[in-house]
Amino acid sequence: MKRYQRVSIVGVSALSVTLFFLLLTGLSRRGEGPLNRILTDVGVMMSDLENALTEYFRGSGRSSRLRWFDPLRHVDSLANPSRFLLGAYDSGLPESLGGITELESGLGMAFPLLHVYTAWGDRPEQQFPARILNAIWNLGSVPVITWEPWLTDFESVNHPHLPLRTERDRGGLAAIARGDYDFYIDAWATEAAKLQHPIFLRFAHEMNDPYRYPWGPHNNEAVDFLEAWRHVHERFQKAGAGNVLWVWSPHSAYPYYEYYPGDQYVDWVATGVLNYGNVAYWSKWWTFEEIFGKKYIDLAALRKPIMIAEFGSLSYGGDRVRWYEDAFHQFPSRYPAVKSLIFFHATGDATVTPQALDWTVTHDSVLTKTISRQISLW
Amino acid sequence: MKKPASVRNFPFDLWKRREAPNISFPQRLFLVALVSAGLLAVVRLADWWFRAEHVADIALFILLSVAFWYGIGRILVGWFNYLGIRKPVSCAAVPGMRVAIFTTSSPGEPLAMFEKTLAACKRIRYPHTTYLLDDTQDPRFRELAKRHGAVHLELVGLPGAKAGKINKALSMTTEDFILVLDPDHVPFPNFLDHVLGYFSDEQTGFVQVCQAYYNQHRSFVARGAAEQTYGFYGPILMGMYGHGSSLAIGANCTFRRTALESIGGHGIGLAEDMVTAIRLHAAGWKSVYVPIILSRGLVPEDLGSFFKQQLKWARGVFEILFSELPFLWPTLRWRQRVSYFLLGTYYLCGVTTFFYLLIPYAYLWFGFQPASMPFAEFVTMIGPVGLIGVTLYMAVQRWLCHSEMERGLHWRGLMLKIACWPVYLLATVLSITRTAIPYIPTAKEAMRGKFVRLTWPHLVVVLAYMTTLSIVLYQRIFIVPEEILVLSTEAVWGMVGFATMTIIFSLGVFYAGWKARDLPPIPAWDAVPDHFEADK
């Protein structure tokens, strides 16, 4: 073989690899391609078909216990609910609903709301969770999504216009407001609009906690949060996603007034009430009243329905049964503006402590009986 | 008599010399570009495949990975092989070489077929002597040989079937070059003119030509079986020749007598032709692959004959892997080792197909799952590999020996290969247990009416599928708790879809078996003409 031939073989080979590499990375730039979307749609369609079949052949199961809720499953009624809406998050979600079923049978009820968490990013599980949302709807409930803007989960290769990962968190909310993340927001907005049934979206919760999440005050100005919130809201409106209920959810232990985006951008106001007991140096045993009571008046002043989006107590350093009993005792009349309470039913929660914490209540039958008795007295 | 439409509309003259073209440098560059891109796609696939989050069950995942990556590995070697495509420089035969043609007849083989073969041997222009190596003890064969000017050698009771007769005949003859011709193959008059020239290189031990067929249009099975061979006798063997790893088939092969003598005669056993070729290579002889169609023979027309042929080949090829290759390993060059190893493990596809077949049932019945990969991601990763694979497959079809007729997607061939898994699995088991199957001459005439006996593994698969489908449907409509149902739709129906794909192949087998029932009643060799066009 002549020299020019050898050289051209190497050259053509390198050129071909480079071009094909560019083509492939170019095609996979977006977190979710059209193929993925088609498959999701097909899956959702099949799930609907199965749901219709089972309903026809064996009657509706869980959704029949939630029949009272069905007339309320519209954006307008949910924006101003006439009934109290219990709900739960379970750490088995979104792969399994087993934990939810267990909790529901322990308490003898079916929850109208089911809560899932999704972080922003490129990975498949960070895309719009159409499957689980559809499943929740088919089971007779309405989904609540806590939508966490973890900006560092976007791959730099896929998004050359974004700054390096280490530089993304500082001023991240301003970048969202500028439209840097519209590729992701718009994908969600389009999918949400396609869904056609209501969903609660709890975006960038605890934005006022300077120690917790990257979207907190240590990286951002309050005004940037406002801009970001309004921008995201606007993108969803533009996509026709009027079926989204916006849940604004500050941490009640820190000032939050300057983070309120305004009445026309918020449908619900939420906060978390979690009693860690004496599990860590920074915590002590607080009753529900001690955590939430003082804040209630302030939150209620916003004149929006209130959601306890994360609710629960550990058993370290106090009487857990008593805690729940006190919390639920005549709850609606004590806190009439609170329209929803969502159990934080997680095992292995290591968000704020080195050891994994267990928030579940199902294995304690005295506790579950206490809770259901209190609820039945409302 | 009304002929089937496929015969009436058949536009190709099969009885002319056809040959693959040589490759130009720009064409080679094009193949280099495609293979390089394909390599990148495979690296990308591998980088994605071996991620911890994809492992559902580590043992099953390893099994799946071995099966899958063995398949991808074969594809890669195939691509690399295409880069070597080369046609030997044509070399005119010098006059005065002494040539013998050996063809063998055994009891039960149809006399009419030999009529055509011997007549065609007589028409071969280069001076030669034809020998009929006969153990039929049927006087009509002796008479036939005499009529066509062939020497009749009565060789009864020799061990080693065909090879035994060839070795005996070698000792009874003196010609320097021997063409061993399969009795169903009808040689063209110019056969030897295109072959003998290559022996002017003293190191050339044998010259292999393309194997082509004249009955592939007679049935679905015949067409599929022929399709399986087109690529092999075109770009694949040309590539191996170019890389210096020529793999020899041995059938319709012309040998140098001294070469055969140096390895103690023609090899014996289930894969006698291939064994002979490997031994010649191991003994240092060179070979030439000539991508020219100089004869046409028969390919199985019905399922029974096809399965029988495949069982024989698979068993023979495993024989090479287990009995021949380990001993000759040190004497082979590394490229020959790779070639012969890949050849020897080709029929493991029975095991891997069976494994793939079990996956959906293992999941649906017992919840076993080897891997958890988002289907869409798998498609985006395997897609480019498949796309490049198909593009290359089509691109190299210009080097098929009879490209205008043979080119295509060859889906019948692929379907028959996948559907043959019970046969290949049986061959694997027989080889591991070292159970001998008797020498079966490839059936020259169709065997009919043994539908169930041939297709029962596929009937079992279809039955298992129907049962599983009914149970899954029943369970999901009436039993499975709602909260499990809503989240398992895609996993379960995805697996059912996977099982459905394998069912399509089984249905294809039934179709092939069914179609073979209306084979033309006239024997295939009636189509062999008595006069051949003069060839320049």
Side-chain angles (χ1 to χ4, degrees):
Chain A
M1 200 179 282
K2 296 184 192 77
R3 186 158 178 275
Y4 87 90
Q5 290 186 329
R6 242 175 279 159
V7 171
S8 46
I9 281 182
V10 173
V12 162
S13 167
L15 185 71
S16 163
V17 167
T18 316
L19 286 179
F20 200 57
F21 179 78
L22 290 177
L23 179 74
L24 287 177
T25 45
L27 284 179
S28 60
R29 174 146 303 169
R30 296 280 172 274
E32 187 173 48
L35 176 73
N36 221 325
R37 217 159 291 153
I38 291 167
L39 284 171
T40 308
D41 289 350
V42 170
V44 165
M45 248 167 57
M46 296 212 25
S47 186
D48 285 345
L49 183 71
E50 269 196 332
N51 190 55
L53 275 177
T54 47
E55 216 156 282
Y56 179 80
F57 283 107
R58 57 166 125 147
S60 44
R62 187 178 182 277
S63 51
S64 70
R65 283 184 288 148
L66 282 167
R67 190 148 293 148
W68 62 268
F69 182 49
D70 207 42
L72 304 181
R73 292 205 295 173
H74 300 286
V75 186
D76 298 335
S77 5
L78 289 173
N80 192 11
S82 56
R83 298 275 301 261
F84 193 87
L85 306 177
L86 278 169
Y89 156 75
D90 179 82
S91 42
L93 287 168
E95 285 80 25
S96 150
L97 283 155
I100 296 286
T101 314
E102 217 180 320
L103 178 62
E104 286 185 339
S105 66
L107 298 179
M109 64 181 72
F111 298 124
L113 302 188
L114 292 179
H115 187 185
V116 290
Y117 290 77
T118 309
W120 288 26
D122 281 337
R123 291 198 299 275
E125 70 270 21
Q126 294 168 326
Q127 311 314 307
F128 188 78
R131 294 176 174 90
I132 183 72
L133 299 189
N134 188 61
I136 289 171
W137 182 261
N138 282 341
L139 287 170
S141 295
V142 168
V144 180
I145 309 160
T146 291
W147 201 29
E148 307 179 345
W150 292 93
L151 305 181
T152 50
D153 273 5
F154 293 104
E155 302 282 343
S156 293
V157 238
N158 298 343
H159 311 283
H161 72 285
L162 294 179
L164 290 177
R165 289 186 194 213
T166 47
E167 291 154 26
R168 271 187 221 157
D169 283 340
R170 185 153 294 279
L173 291 176
I176 292 174
R178 262 201 316 272
D180 289 2
Y181 294 89
D182 282 357
F183 64 91
Y184 181 72
I185 298 166
D186 289 348
W188 270 64
T190 316
E191 291 297 301
K194 230 166 64 187
L195 211 57
Q196 291 181 335
H197 56 69
I199 53 175
F200 290 89
L201 196 60
R202 181 171 169 249
F203 167 59
H205 67 296
E206 300 181 4
M207 76 304 285
N208 59 332
D209 180 341
Y211 303 104
R212 184 70 67 87
Y213 300 115
W215 53 90
H218 46 299
N219 284 327
N220 302 280
E221 300 296 326
V223 62
D224 292 330
F225 172 78
L226 300 180
E227 292 296 319
W229 180 282
R230 290 170 191 156
H231 177 75
V232 173
H233 188 276
E234 201 173 287
R235 302 306 299 181
F236 273 69
Q237 295 309 118
K238 215 167 224 163
N243 52 329
V244 173
L245 291 139
W246 294 89
V247 183
W248 175 74
S249 185
H251 194 301
S252 61
Y254 303 97
Y256 50 79
Y257 292 114
E258 48 179 343
Y259 290 88
Y260 187 63
D263 282 345
Q264 69 270 41
Y265 298 103
V266 174
D267 297 299
W268 280 61
V269 168
T271 192
V273 179
L274 295 171
N275 170 38
Y276 284 85
N278 59 7
V279 74
Y281 70 90
W282 45 260
S283 71
K284 72 186 265 293
W285 188 271
W286 302 101
T287 64
F288 179 83
E289 180 70 32
E290 282 168 335
I291 301 172
F292 184 67
K294 290 177 283 183
K295 312 292 173 191
Y296 170 70
I297 311 290
D298 297 344
L299 290 174
L302 293 168
R303 310 179 69 83
K304 295 281 180 184
I306 298 173
M307 174 188 285
I308 312 285
E310 294 168 357
F311 169 84
S313 172
L314 295 173
S315 46
Y316 305 96
D319 182 347
R320 188 156 76 129
V321 177
R322 181 76 189 279
W323 191 93
Y324 277 98
E325 189 169 23
D326 288 347
F328 279 112
H329 180 65
Q330 296 183 343
F331 188 97
S333 48
R334 277 155 65 214
Y335 308 108
V338 177
K339 291 296 181 188
S340 173
L341 184 148
I342 296 179
F343 286 93
F344 185 68
H345 205 245
T347 54
D349 164 36
T351 327
V352 296
T353 50
Q355 80 269 41
L357 303 175
D358 184 1
W359 296 92
T360 59
V361 298
T362 34
H363 51 269
D364 186 343
S365 62
V366 177
L367 179 52
T368 51
K369 279 196 191 102
T370 306
I371 295 172
S372 49
R373 193 182 64 246
Q374 285 299 333
I375 292 174
S376 69
L377 293 173
W378 290 356
Chain B
M1 189 183 301
K2 187 174 171 287
K3 290 179 178 179
S6 54
V7 178
R8 268 181 284 133
N9 301 333
F10 195 66
F12 301 105
D13 182 359
L14 295 175
W15 305 104
K16 266 167 66 181
R17 174 174 59 91
R18 308 277 179 175
E19 57 187 283
N22 208 342
I23 187 169
S24 72
F25 186 67
Q27 285 168 341
R28 200 184 293 284
L29 275 186
F30 178 63
L31 294 184
V32 166
L34 274 178
V35 170
S36 306
L39 209 61
L40 174 78
V42 169
V43 169
R44 179 170 167 268
L45 173 67
D47 172 55
W48 172 83
W49 178 278
F50 295 102
R51 287 185 189 170
E53 74 247 33
H54 290 161
V55 181
D57 178 296
I58 185 68
L60 288 175
F61 184 79
I62 291 172
L63 270 180
L64 178 69
S65 298
V66 168
F68 183 79
W69 284 97
Y70 172 72
I72 298 282
R74 286 196 78 98
I75 292 174
L76 274 182
V77 173
W79 290 353
F80 171 74
N81 187 47
Y82 290 151
L83 297 182
I85 287 179
R86 194 157 72 87
K87 188 182 179 185
V89 182
S90 93
C91 214
V94 288
M97 296 168 77
R98 298 178 58 239
V99 187
I101 299 176
F102 286 1
T103 191
T104 58
S105 53
S106 299
E109 292 184 313
L111 188 70
M113 187 177 79
F114 284 87
E115 188 82 51
K116 299 286 182 181
T117 308
L118 290 183
C121 287
K122 191 179 179 187
R123 282 193 296 263
I124 292 181
R125 282 193 291 264
Y126 195 93
H128 65 279
T129 312
T130 305
Y131 296 88
L132 179 64
L133 285 51
D134 180 32
D135 68 346
T136 58
Q137 293 177 290
D138 181 342
R140 289 178 301 160
F141 278 81
R142 176 185 297 272
E143 190 273 326
L144 181 74
K146 199 174 159 198
R147 191 146 42 80
H148 291 291
V151 178
H152 182 268
L153 301 177
E154 177 100 21
L155 302 171
V156 184
L158 293 167
K162 176 180 139 190
K165 287 195 278 184
I166 290 172
N167 286 336
K168 181 69 183 167
L170 275 174
S171 70
M172 299 163 73
T173 55
T174 59
E175 284 85 352
D176 297 322
F177 301 96
I178 296 107
L179 162 61
V180 179
L181 192 69
D182 281 357
D184 57 311
H185 270 259
V186 177
F188 298 175
N190 50 358
F191 191 108
L192 292 173
D193 302 315
H194 290 281
V195 164
L196 292 175
Y198 299 103
F199 285 106
S200 53
D201 180 347
E202 288 296 322
Q203 288 185 293
T204 301
F206 62 98
V207 178
Q208 173 78 51
V209 298
C210 176
Q211 286 223 54
Y213 307 99
Y214 64 88
N215 66 329
Q216 58 264 62
H217 53 277
R218 285 183 30 113
S219 76
F220 182 90
V221 173
R223 177 108 189 246
E227 281 179 357
Q228 291 183 350
T229 69
Y230 291 159
F232 182 73
Y233 287 105
I236 295 179
L237 278 180
M238 286 176 81
M240 288 185 163
Y241 171 69
H243 278 314
S245 61
S246 314
L247 183 139
I249 300 315
N252 298 343
C253 190
T254 310
F255 297 94
R256 187 188 291 275
R257 173 182 289 270
T258 47
L260 277 181
E261 283 169 357
S262 76
I263 56 161
H266 200 281
I268 291 176
L270 282 166
E272 48 199 10
D273 295 328
M274 261 178 282
V275 165
T276 309
I278 298 186
R279 287 181 187 166
L280 287 172
H281 277 153
W285 290 97
K286 289 201 292 189
S287 66
V288 178
Y289 177 66
V290 186
I292 306 184
I293 296 176
L294 293 167
S295 73
R296 284 192 187 264
L298 294 174
V299 71
E301 295 181 357
D302 67 304
L303 268 189
S305 321
F306 179 66
F307 283 173
K308 229 175 187 178
Q309 181 209 49
Q310 294 295 305
L311 181 65
K312 182 190 149 195
W313 286 5
R315 183 72 177 86
V317 159
F318 278 126
E319 199 66 29
I320 288 175
L321 182 67
F322 292 128
S323 310
E324 198 73 14
L325 214 47
F327 299 104
L328 298 179
W329 194 258
T331 51
L332 291 169
R333 283 177 299 146
W334 71 267
R335 275 176 173 166
Q336 291 176 329
R337 288 176 191 166
V338 172
S339 303
Y340 283 119
F341 177 77
L342 285 181
L343 176 79
T345 54
Y346 178 83
Y347 291 108
L348 280 180
C349 62
V351 180
T352 54
T353 308
F354 183 60
F355 175 70
Y356 287 134
L357 194 78
L358 286 182
I359 288 176
Y361 298 100
Y363 176 78
L364 294 170
W365 284 89
F366 307 109
F368 294 151
Q369 194 185 354
S372 60
M373 298 170 172
F375 183 65
E377 273 187 45
F378 177 70
V379 172
T380 52
M381 289 295 154
I382 196 93
V385 180
L387 199 70
I388 299 253
V390 172
T391 312
L392 262 168
Y393 190 78
M394 301 311 279
V396 298
Q397 290 195 345
R398 64 163 37 247
W399 292 285
L400 294 174
C401 292
H402 186 180
S403 186
E404 52 170 348
M405 184 190 86
E406 295 174 353
R407 61 168 56 248
L409 273 175
H410 301 160
W411 60 272
R412 296 173 193 81
L414 180 69
M415 212 200 70
L416 278 188
K417 180 188 167 186
I418 294 175
C420 247
W421 66 265
V423 176
Y424 302 145
L425 192 65
L426 175 67
T428 313
V429 172
L430 290 177
S431 301
I432 289 169
T433 58
R434 300 250 160 187
T435 311
I437 50 167
Y439 175 88
I440 321 158
T442 303
K444 304 301 188 299
E445 276 178 298
M447 311 190 335
R448 295 165 206 217
K450 294 175 182 120
F451 192 74
V452 174
R453 219 196 60 188
L454 292 169
T455 57
W456 69 264
H458 292 282
L459 289 171
V460 169
V461 170
V462 170
L463 206 68
Y465 175 76
M466 305 279 250
T467 314
T468 307
L469 184 64
S470 321
I471 291 175
V472 165
L473 260 177
Y474 175 79
Q475 290 250 348
R476 290 187 73 78
I477 290 179
F478 295 102
I479 311 286
V480 178
E482 209 178 0
E483 70 275 5
I484 291 175
L485 194 77
V486 289
L487 289 182
S488 54
T489 306
E490 281 168 83
V492 168
W493 290 109
M495 282 295 187
V496 171
F498 188 11
T500 311
M501 270 166 47
T502 66
I503 284 301
I504 292 172
F505 291 108
S506 293
L507 294 179
V509 172
F510 300 146
Y511 175 75
W514 185 258
K515 289 294 276 185
R517 289 160 52 108
D518 41 66
L519 277 173
I522 44 166
W525 45 86
D526 270 21
V528 177
D530 293 323
H531 299 284
F532 283 75
E533 263 180 58
D535 182 73
K536 285 130 242 156

